Amino acid sequence: MTELPRLPFDNPGIIGIAPQMLALQKEGPITKVRTAGEDAWLVTRYDEVRTLLADRRLGLSHPDPQRSAENAARGFMVALMAGDDFDTERPRHAQMRSLLVPRFSPRRMRLMKSRIDQHVEELLDQFAAGTPPVDLHRALSFPLPTMVVCDLLGVPLADRERFGLWARGTFDQSDNERAANTFGKVVDYITELVVRKRSEPGDDILSELIAEDGGALSDAYIAQLGCAVLLFGYETTIVRIDLGTLLLLRNPRQRALLAERPELAPAAVEEILRLGVGGKGSNALIPRYAHSDIAVGDTVIRAGDAVRLAIGAANYDDRVFPDSDLFDVTRVKPKTHLAFGGGTRHCIGRVLARIELTAVFERLFRVLPDLRLAVPEESLRWQEHRITGGFDEIPVTF
């Protein structure tokens, strides 16, 4: 019997798709693979991934929880996304979205944009005034999204540092005890904040949720929603700022064009989102379980089967994106990438993430035109043990 390919696949670079992933994509849209805890169907081609993202027969919850191979970190993530119970996933997730989607209204996004622009300008001024080498991750990538999520939830900016430590711990798949301990701290903090905001409301998401439906939502449920916004609302954006900077440093002509024409920043952001796959691809696989049988071509995914939707590989599919591995801010009407997922679980914060990334990349290389790595790129370390992946340090000079 032929041994199944085993995820994660080795990747010689710190950015991009593993060669084995692309080889499987050429062979067909779907194949069986082995993961750390279970066998799964790996879907790699754009059309099939996009279709399955919208297929309601796929869910986060395992139809038979006793067979689930989730670690503590992924278990917390699934619970926050209302995907931890097969019988209630659909109505609970619908309720969650009905409460959170209005919180990311166009009005709030307009208000957030001006604050984000101010945050970026202040951070870049401090960055430029520093003595190189400077850690880009600590100076820009980490503080900006944490400031933004503090603004969203009405959290004191002084507390932003601890959020980073908590998120890193909660999403650490290598240490179940640490994940449980840090997740407990997040829940306790947000719960205390909800209690305080019942008597001291502000212009923030938690205060709006407290007032929702005449104050009918419980503190525990509001805290759960707040934890979801906190933990999912900034870690992935941190990762994208780091990856986007590295992609632009790899592509000096595109970087120069962007510095000359900052109006190209939105297009650059879309390329960063499309191409921003780190290490072995830990930030570019969406896990699902089949809730009933699903046919993909000649293959039938059976109810209960694990599925991995390779959004990273789909975004590198040459059938959809010609010269897919090229970073090109002048692509003509490219198809929509899948970095934010799709279907009923399409990322709620995608507009906000785009605002943050655009604010960064329309300014970064104008303020620091000589920005470059202070260490060889191969010395950077992608954190495979975290669900979101990411770097802890990116030394740069200028």
Side-chain angles (χ1 to χ4, degrees):
M1 182 177 179
T2 304
E3 185 175 351
L4 293 175
R6 179 177 289 275
L7 286 175
F9 301 143
D10 288 335
N11 190 3
I14 62 167
I15 304 177
I17 301 297
Q20 189 173 2
M21 183 79 75
L22 293 177
L24 291 173
Q25 185 186 71
K26 289 180 180 178
E27 292 176 8
I30 184 170
T31 188
K32 184 65 79 65
V33 297
R34 182 151 293 157
T35 70
E38 60 194 348
D39 292 349
W41 291 105
L42 176 68
V43 188
T44 55
R45 290 186 180 174
Y46 179 93
D47 288 341
E48 286 78 8
V49 171
R50 186 175 187 179
T51 297
L52 288 173
L53 282 169
D55 196 316
R56 295 173 70 87
R57 291 173 294 177
L58 284 179
L60 273 175
S61 56
H62 198 303
D64 182 2
Q66 299 302 317
R67 292 176 51 211
S68 176
E70 304 290 0
N71 54 50
R74 192 164 292 281
F76 297 140
M77 182 192 77
V78 169
L80 285 176
M81 296 173 72
D84 55 334
D85 185 88
F86 176 77
D87 295 324
T88 63
E89 175 180 350
R90 186 172 292 184
R92 287 173 59 219
H93 178 245
Q95 180 188 30
M96 175 183 176
R97 289 189 72 90
S98 72
L99 291 168
L100 289 183
V101 168
R103 312 281 85 88
F104 290 81
S105 66
R107 170 190 168 274
R108 171 165 274 135
M109 294 303 97
R110 286 194 298 270
L111 292 174
M112 291 297 297
K113 183 180 184 307
S114 63
R115 295 158 101 171
I116 289 167
D117 288 342
Q118 182 179 350
H119 287 325
V120 171
E121 289 171 3
E122 291 174 354
L123 289 169
L124 287 178
D125 285 346
Q126 296 169 16
F127 197 148
T131 301
V134 174
D135 181 3
L136 176 124
H137 180 83
R138 298 295 303 176
L140 177 64
S141 309
F142 173 82
L144 175 63
T146 53
M147 288 174 171
V148 172
V149 82
C150 284
D151 289 341
L152 276 175
L153 293 175
V155 173
L157 282 177
D159 289 340
R160 71 181 191 232
E161 187 72 23
R162 71 173 79 178
F163 288 165
L165 297 175
W166 288 342
R168 298 282 158 86
T170 298
F171 291 142
D172 186 345
Q173 302 180 91
S174 67
D175 190 333
N176 285 342
E177 184 176 352
R178 182 187 182 212
N181 183 48
T182 52
F183 181 64
K185 291 179 180 179
V186 175
V187 173
D188 289 346
Y189 180 93
I190 298 296
T191 302
E192 291 174 8
L193 191 61
V194 170
V195 172
R196 188 161 71 244
K197 286 186 175 295
R198 282 202 178 273
S199 57
E200 302 172 13
D203 183 14
D204 56 72
I205 286 178
L206 291 180
S207 297
E208 290 179 7
L209 289 171
I210 289 169
E212 183 77 20
D213 196 20
L217 300 179
S218 69
D219 287 359
Y221 186 52
I222 295 170
Q224 177 185 334
L225 296 174
C227 288
V229 172
L230 169 62
L231 292 173
F232 300 133
Y234 75 99
E235 185 68 19
T236 53
T237 308
I238 293 172
V239 173
R240 294 294 179 176
I241 295 173
D242 284 341
L243 287 171
T245 303
L246 292 175
L247 282 165
L248 283 161
L249 290 176
R250 279 184 169 189
N251 294 274
R253 289 185 180 179
Q254 297 293 304
R255 184 181 75 226
L257 183 59
L258 177 59
E260 179 183 336
R261 297 173 55 193
E263 70 273 13
L264 290 173
V269 166
E270 297 310 307
E271 284 289 84
I272 288 166
L273 290 165
R274 183 178 71 82
L275 295 170
V277 180
K280 297 180 180 181
S282 55
N283 69 322
L285 284 173
I286 292 182
R288 292 287 186 266
Y289 290 101
H291 288 183
S292 58
D293 291 357
I294 304 171
V296 179
D298 296 330
T299 299
V300 177
I301 302 172
R302 298 296 182 188
D305 284 356
V307 179
R308 298 292 183 266
L309 302 176
I311 56 173
N315 286 336
Y316 277 73
D317 191 339
D318 280 320
R319 298 164 191 78
V320 178
F321 303 100
D323 298 318
S324 62
D325 60 337
L326 294 183
F327 187 102
D328 182 3
V329 300
T330 62
R331 283 186 182 272
V332 179
K333 295 183 179 179
K335 278 202 173 183
T336 303
H337 59 72
L338 303 178
F340 291 119
T344 60
R345 290 191 176 275
H346 202 191
C347 176
I348 291 172
R350 59 190 182 277
V351 173
L352 182 60
R354 285 185 165 110
I355 292 172
E356 292 179 65
L357 293 169
T358 300
V360 168
F361 291 109
E362 69 184 4
R363 293 171 173 82
L364 178 60
F365 291 100
R366 284 191 292 155
V367 175
L368 298 165
D370 298 322
L371 187 73
R372 59 194 184 277
L373 284 175
V375 298
E377 186 183 88
E378 57 269 22
S379 71
L380 302 177
R381 292 289 174 263
W382 181 261
Q383 304 302 312
E384 297 289 346
H385 62 284
R386 288 203 297 264
I387 291 175
T388 52
F391 301 95
D392 287 338
E393 182 181 26
I394 298 187
V396 295
T397 188
F398 45 88

